[in-house]
Amino acid sequence: FQTAHPSLIVPRLAGDEVVRLTGLLPGSAAITFALPGVALVAQHRWFDGRAVDAALTLDGLHVDLRAPEGPWSVDLTWRCWVTRCPAYHGAILMQVRPDEALALPRSGEHGLELAEAAA
């Protein structure tokens, strides 16, 4: 559901980028901030004993600049997909450093994707 101009879309966010926004507010200097440097990992578990850890995909960055002088807010959205299965027990979310999630599979739209395919 991308609604940004194509030049504003980043293929994949890691979670530790520095964001610099220019020309968004009349007469203002650039707005620069760093993302928090975290990644989310879901520890998926099934009743039949299966288990897998998968990195969630950081795919949303919403900057709210409605207040003329701030405070402004930044919202991040991480997503994952889980196929419906009666044996699915649930997941526990963990916050880790982005580099700790690099080697994990990602939960994509069609199931788990190997880390190399997610890059």
Side-chain angles (χ1 to χ4, degrees):
F1 302 116
Q2 289 285 358
T3 58
H5 185 275
S7 67
L8 297 174
I9 296 173
V10 178
R12 182 165 314 266
L13 294 168
D16 56 0
E17 292 87 355
V18 173
V19 177
R20 180 178 163 87
L21 306 171
T22 58
L24 295 179
L25 297 174
S28 71
I31 300 167
T32 304
F33 58 92
L35 297 184
V38 299
L40 293 181
V41 171
Q43 293 180 319
H44 297 284
R45 301 294 180 258
W46 287 261
F47 289 116
D48 59 10
R50 290 177 291 157
V52 67
D53 291 352
L56 278 69
T57 299
L58 174 56
D59 71 351
L61 171 65
H62 174 82
V63 182
D64 186 348
L65 300 175
R66 288 180 285 183
E69 299 297 322
W72 302 310
S73 66
V74 176
D75 295 311
L76 302 175
T77 305
W78 282 267
R79 298 196 194 281
C80 73
W81 294 79
V82 178
T83 303
R84 286 184 56 174
C85 171
Y88 188 71
H89 184 268
I92 297 172
L93 291 178
M94 299 184 325
Q95 178 179 307
V96 300
R97 292 188 325 266
D99 62 317
E100 293 179 274
L102 286 176
L104 293 175
R106 293 201 173 270
S107 179
E109 184 175 354
H110 302 289
L112 292 178
E113 303 167 350
L114 296 178
E116 295 81 25

